[in-house]
Amino acid sequence: MKVELQNITKIFPSRNKKSNEMVVAVNDFTFTVPDGKLIGLLGPSGCGKSTTLYMISGLQKPTSGKIFFGEDDVTELPPEKRGIGLVFQNYALYPHMTVKQNILFPLQNLKGVDKLSKEQMLDRVDEVSKLVQLEQYLDRKPSEMSGGQQQRVAIARALVKMPRVLLLDEPLSNLDARLRLQTREEIRRIQRETGITTIFVTHDQEEAMSISDMIVVMKLGVIQQVGEPQEVYDNPVNLFVSKFLGTPPINVFNGHIRSGKLYIGEEVIADAKDVSDKEVYVGIRPEGFIVDPNGKLTCNLESREVMGRDVSIVSNHPESANPIVRSIVDSESPIDVDAQTIKYNIKKTKMFVFDKETEERIFLEGDKLPYHLTQYVQEKESVNSKSSEESTQEENS
Amino acid sequence: MVDSKNSWKAWLYLAPALVLLLVFTVWPIVNTLRMAFLEDYSGLMEKGGAVFNFGIGNFLKVIQYQRFLNCLKTTALLCVLTVPVSTVLALLISVALNSIKGLQKVLQTIFFLPYVTNSIAIGMVFAAMFNIVGSFLGSENELIVTAGIINNVIEFFGGSHVNWINVGSTYAANIFVMVVYIVWKALPFKILILLGGLQSINKQYYDAAKVDGTSKSRILTRITVPLLSPMIAYVVITSFINGFKEYTSIVGIFGENMGPADDKGRLNTMVGFIYDALSSNNQGRASAAALILFAIILVVTLINLQVSKKRVHY
């Protein structure tokens, strides 16, 4: 089932009655989720990703805009008529019911033509509990299960009525690190096996990148970038997206473009033909550094952290926007630990230049531009001319 | 831990509370036990030098009194009738209160008012509502000044007035008035407890139920009531205990007669019986009755706990 969001906007009235300041949680959100895909809505807390999910579920109504499931306009439909399964952040399993009763509950609500016989219901429960591998726990109460098992019960309860769309709100945030890895694979497997269009919300970029077919990066209620995880990582359209994706995070330097050359400090890093002189940010992924005694960028060496396969070098640079510059290089790189400085060459594909004022990407000659990204950039540019002033204001506040 | 050298300090700090407890709680309990097992004990006669035999005579006498059995019957009847009615009503009202937004605070205050109002005063108001003022009731020259608000309402809808609490009223009518009064008086506390419980239920359960298309009645019976069951159990147990201690409500409506003028003591309760025995210098019998009341409350509470173990979830 394809899910289409058209210009969805959600405005919450102000909590404080005296001020009339309204909160725009989601702003003009337009996006189509292809059928049968796993989509991650990604962003820092307060970016409107959960609100978007709840609007798709029907628990919240958009202030304006339309939502389609396939060809059906569901904007005005209540949640129970949309055919969705929703997994809550803290699962919301009924504590007084056993696992079996919890999973049966949605089926027992069905009325009229959808009504199932007892055997049919039990068959469904069997089927779905096999899918989430909970067969032996059916008679337990939620309180007698681990977080990961509860999570699977919640997914089973959402899946048992065969929803058209499965929605997961921060599905992994209540699990410990090991379970998180395991459960995210589990979610991926269940989604593959059922083929249900699945949308999940997360603030953890690693989580989103590792299992999603596509990610939607949001900030302050506005979509920043949409695409396959690798593509978004390799080609961020603005400073926010580049900073939000990747661990360790991207290194950001203050730079400038003077007569067709990109400088960090006094060092020329790259050519920047056809770009007018301006102040810029230069983002370099940790894996984008190559140690080279004749390199272009000189940093003050602080320490070296050996991680086996790779070596992580901690250094600093007067023009760095982050307190340290962290690079991850091949363990065979020639590093003189006693030296005061270290010189790097930069991999072009791992370096992104952003306008200092708008924080939008400046594409240099030779930067890869996938076809649909080109389109996206063009769209952005037309919108930017209007909204760039607003967004910089928000940034400053 | 306080080391033994300094333990006298601990005792010193505990002393005020311990002394008060010993004098006003522990000693009366011990004394009640003593008096209950001294046959025909009377404080006045003891001062006069009388000696009493040790035995269970007081208990045997008390349970053979028709008056005591009547008190027991009235008390039990009031309990059995008022506890379920008031609990169900309180549940419905608190669910309704919890689901509205605008006037919640105002209505909450209104529902809580009976709790902070003097029960004798409320009793007098209720008595006035049910009271028939006039004379010659039931005779040829029947003269009624006012039949009370309740009877006025009944007559407005075409019924004939009922003699609720006056001379010649039936036991059933008296009990009905008491049930209405006790339920009304018991509501605020229960609503307070249940509303508190409702507000602490995670809203996501209701969101989950909504997504699954659960009907309102199913949400109430399958989600709200089970999640509220610890509070409901608490409310039922405390109201049984309070019900067995019922006394002031009867005084509030019928005065110290504990019944209509032509049948005094008809609506007397267990506590009323104990009070009467005390004031007629029969402390032995009063103590025995008090212990019986204690035993009944204990048994009922244990049964309640046993039942709630099966019914109260998580």
Side-chain angles (χ1 to χ4, degrees):
Chain A
M1 183 64 53
K2 184 178 78 172
V3 176
E4 202 176 333
L5 305 172
Q6 285 182 359
N7 307 97
I8 292 294
T9 297
K10 177 74 183 179
I11 297 171
F12 287 111
S14 159
R15 246 166 224 247
N16 186 349
K17 277 178 191 163
K18 280 174 198 159
S19 77
N20 285 321
E21 195 188 340
M22 292 176 298
V23 179
V24 183
V26 177
N27 194 355
D28 200 19
F29 192 106
T30 299
F31 177 57
T32 303
V33 181
D35 182 26
K37 296 286 185 196
L38 180 62
I39 304 297
L41 293 181
L42 178 62
S45 53
C47 73
K49 54 194 190 302
S50 285
T51 308
T52 307
L53 192 82
Y54 283 120
M55 285 193 286
I56 299 172
S57 78
L59 285 172
Q60 282 177 6
K61 283 236 147 61
T63 312
S64 66
K66 287 206 173 301
I67 301 171
F68 292 90
F69 284 6
E71 302 305 316
D72 313 336
D73 182 352
V74 298
T75 318
E76 295 300 320
L77 283 185
E80 67 269 21
K81 300 227 170 99
R82 294 192 180 193
I84 51 140
L86 179 57
V87 176
F88 291 87
Q89 184 170 4
N90 50 10
Y91 319 139
L93 297 176
Y94 307 120
H96 54 284
M97 298 184 196
T98 62
V99 170
K100 192 173 178 179
Q101 288 167 328
N102 261 294
I103 302 176
L104 270 174
F105 194 79
L107 295 180
Q108 290 163 340
N109 287 330
L110 297 174
K111 279 183 221 128
V113 279
D114 301 329
K115 205 173 160 104
L116 299 173
S117 72
K118 251 205 167 129
E119 289 74 38
Q120 284 173 309
M121 287 191 202
L122 291 176
D123 283 350
R124 286 264 199 101
V125 172
D126 275 351
E127 200 180 309
V128 78
S129 55
K130 262 196 203 107
L131 180 70
V132 299
Q133 297 169 348
L134 276 173
E135 302 103 305
Q136 64 269 50
Y137 301 117
L138 285 178
D139 293 322
R140 291 218 191 155
K141 291 262 175 79
S143 58
E144 297 160 351
M145 308 182 86
S146 70
Q149 289 166 335
Q150 290 185 26
Q151 169 73 276
R152 281 186 278 156
V153 179
I155 294 176
R157 185 177 68 179
L159 285 176
V160 74
K161 32 172 205 180
M162 302 183 173
R164 303 195 280 181
V165 179
L166 179 63
L167 307 169
L168 304 135
D169 186 11
E170 300 264 4
L172 306 175
S173 61
N174 282 356
L175 303 176
D176 62 51
R178 201 178 58 84
L179 261 177
R180 204 173 290 175
L181 284 176
Q182 213 178 330
T183 310
R184 78 183 189 203
E185 293 312 316
E186 194 80 344
I187 291 175
R188 186 65 182 142
R189 178 184 64 79
I190 292 168
Q191 195 271 333
R192 283 243 169 85
E193 279 180 34
T194 55
I196 293 179
T197 308
T198 304
I199 303 168
F200 80 105
V201 156
T202 180
H203 61 264
D204 181 353
Q205 49 93 18
E206 199 185 328
E207 197 174 299
M209 303 234 297
S210 59
I211 61 172
S212 313
D213 293 315
M214 274 176 103
I215 58 173
V216 178
V217 184
M218 292 179 72
K219 176 191 160 196
L220 296 169
V222 182
I223 294 185
Q224 304 295 306
Q225 192 168 0
V226 177
E228 286 169 20
Q230 193 62 48
E231 193 180 283
V232 177
Y233 180 81
D234 288 341
N235 247 328
V237 295
N238 60 33
L239 183 66
F240 172 80
V241 175
S242 75
K243 282 209 268 192
F244 198 74
L245 297 183
T247 40
I250 194 164
N251 300 293
V252 180
F253 297 88
N254 296 305
H256 51 265
I257 292 175
R258 292 276 178 278
S259 35
K261 300 273 183 204
L262 172 65
Y263 290 85
I264 293 177
E266 295 308 314
E267 292 169 307
V268 177
I269 303 300
D271 285 340
K273 258 193 240 164
D274 304 331
V275 184
S276 54
D277 292 2
K278 59 173 83 177
E279 297 292 301
V280 293
Y281 286 117
V282 183
I284 305 170
R285 295 265 181 228
E287 67 274 23
F289 294 90
I290 305 163
V291 181
D292 182 347
N294 306 315
K296 294 170 180 163
L297 182 68
T298 314
C299 292
N300 304 316
L301 183 60
E302 279 185 16
S303 63
R304 183 180 65 161
E305 292 167 9
V306 180
M307 298 186 293
R309 186 166 44 93
D310 303 314
V311 171
S312 168
I313 299 169
V314 180
S315 54
N316 62 58
H317 189 280
E319 294 299 326
S320 170
N322 308 346
I324 58 160
V325 177
R326 184 182 286 277
S327 62
I328 295 174
V329 297
D330 199 306
S331 59
E332 280 154 27
S333 306
I335 301 162
D336 182 1
V337 189
D338 298 324
Q340 297 290 309
T341 56
I342 185 163
K343 279 177 175 275
Y344 294 114
N345 263 333
I346 312 295
K347 292 181 196 163
K348 270 221 77 182
T349 53
K350 295 292 180 185
M351 181 184 82
F352 318 111
V353 181
F354 305 99
D355 189 306
K356 205 159 211 170
E357 241 167 68
T358 63
E359 300 193 348
E360 293 296 322
R361 177 91 177 266
I362 299 168
F363 290 94
L364 302 180
E365 198 184 35
D367 275 348
K368 265 199 310 211
L369 268 191
Y371 172 69
H372 72 271
L373 191 66
T374 335
Q375 262 192 329
Y376 189 75
V377 170
Q378 282 164 358
E379 265 173 46
K380 272 248 146 180
E381 267 162 8
S382 65
V383 177
N384 264 338
S385 49
K386 275 180 281 171
S387 66
S388 61
E389 278 178 23
E390 286 168 20
S391 67
T392 41
Q393 268 175 357
E394 273 169 330
E395 278 300 285
N396 295 336
S397 66
Chain B
M1 270 302 285
V2 183
D3 58 76
S4 53
K5 222 186 188 176
N6 278 329
S7 70
W8 65 271
K9 269 189 188 165
W11 287 110
L12 181 69
Y13 301 147
L14 283 171
L18 280 180
V19 168
L20 288 174
L21 273 175
L22 280 172
V23 172
F24 291 107
T25 306
V26 179
W27 168 242
I29 290 173
V30 173
N31 204 21
T32 304
L33 278 169
R34 185 180 74 93
M35 292 189 293
F37 287 100
L38 291 177
E39 288 183 351
D40 295 326
Y41 176 88
S42 157
L44 212 58
M45 284 162 73
E46 193 184 38
K47 278 277 176 292
V51 178
F52 307 100
N53 295 328
F54 183 83
I56 55 166
N58 287 333
F59 292 93
L60 292 177
K61 266 199 187 131
V62 165
I63 59 172
Q64 279 164 10
Y65 271 135
Q66 190 55 46
R67 225 155 52 77
F68 176 78
L69 296 179
N70 283 342
C71 290
L72 184 58
K73 185 183 82 177
T74 306
T75 311
L77 194 62
L78 286 176
C79 264
V80 169
L81 291 174
T82 56
V83 173
V85 172
S86 61
T87 307
V88 170
L89 269 181
L91 181 65
L92 294 178
I93 291 173
S94 41
V95 168
L97 270 179
N98 196 35
S99 65
I100 57 168
K101 287 197 184 93
L103 292 169
Q104 194 179 10
K105 285 269 144 45
V106 178
L107 288 171
Q108 226 170 305
T109 312
I110 291 173
F111 277 110
F112 197 63
L113 275 180
Y115 193 70
V116 291
T117 314
N118 182 300
S119 56
I120 300 290
I122 302 171
M124 289 169 79
V125 173
F126 265 74
M129 281 163 60
F130 286 100
N131 201 9
I132 298 175
V133 179
S135 56
F136 318 123
L137 199 64
S139 70
E140 282 172 43
N141 310 316
E142 188 175 295
L143 174 79
I144 294 177
V145 177
T146 167
I149 294 170
I150 304 293
N151 277 333
N152 288 342
V153 171
I154 293 175
E155 279 167 1
F156 178 81
F157 285 105
S160 58
H161 65 249
V162 178
N163 187 352
W164 295 110
I165 57 174
N166 298 78
V167 173
S169 57
T170 61
Y171 183 67
N174 298 160
I175 288 289
F176 179 82
V177 173
M178 288 318 304
V179 168
V180 171
Y181 172 66
I182 293 171
V183 165
W184 186 78
K185 202 167 67 110
L187 279 179
F189 179 69
K190 293 180 183 176
I191 292 174
L192 187 76
I193 298 284
L194 295 179
L195 198 58
L198 279 175
Q199 282 164 352
S200 67
I201 294 179
N202 192 334
K203 298 276 173 296
Q204 287 209 326
Y205 293 130
Y206 295 105
D207 279 344
K210 208 159 136 197
V211 169
D212 293 337
T214 320
S215 64
K216 282 226 165 90
S217 61
R218 246 172 86 78
I219 288 179
L220 181 67
T221 54
R222 293 290 307 274
I223 298 173
T224 304
V225 170
L227 288 176
L228 210 54
S229 54
M231 301 295 170
I232 295 175
Y234 172 76
V235 158
V236 168
I237 290 171
T238 51
S239 50
F240 261 111
I241 292 172
N242 283 332
F244 273 101
K245 295 195 300 191
E246 198 53 77
Y247 176 65
T248 44
S249 310
I250 319 277
V251 176
I253 289 193
F254 289 95
E256 282 186 70
N257 285 338
M258 304 298 278
D262 58 336
D263 194 353
K264 289 182 182 172
R266 185 206 263 171
L267 291 171
N268 207 354
T269 61
M270 303 275 284
V271 172
F273 180 89
I274 295 165
Y275 179 73
D276 289 346
L278 271 180
S279 57
S280 58
N281 258 315
N282 274 317
Q283 285 93 344
R285 253 169 267 164
S287 302
L291 286 179
I292 293 173
L293 177 60
F294 171 72
I296 292 173
I297 292 178
L298 185 68
V299 169
V300 169
T301 307
L302 286 177
I303 294 172
N304 270 327
L305 284 176
Q306 205 56 38
V307 172
S308 60
K309 233 185 230 166
K310 287 191 192 128
R311 296 266 158 208
V312 174
H313 304 282
Y314 75 99

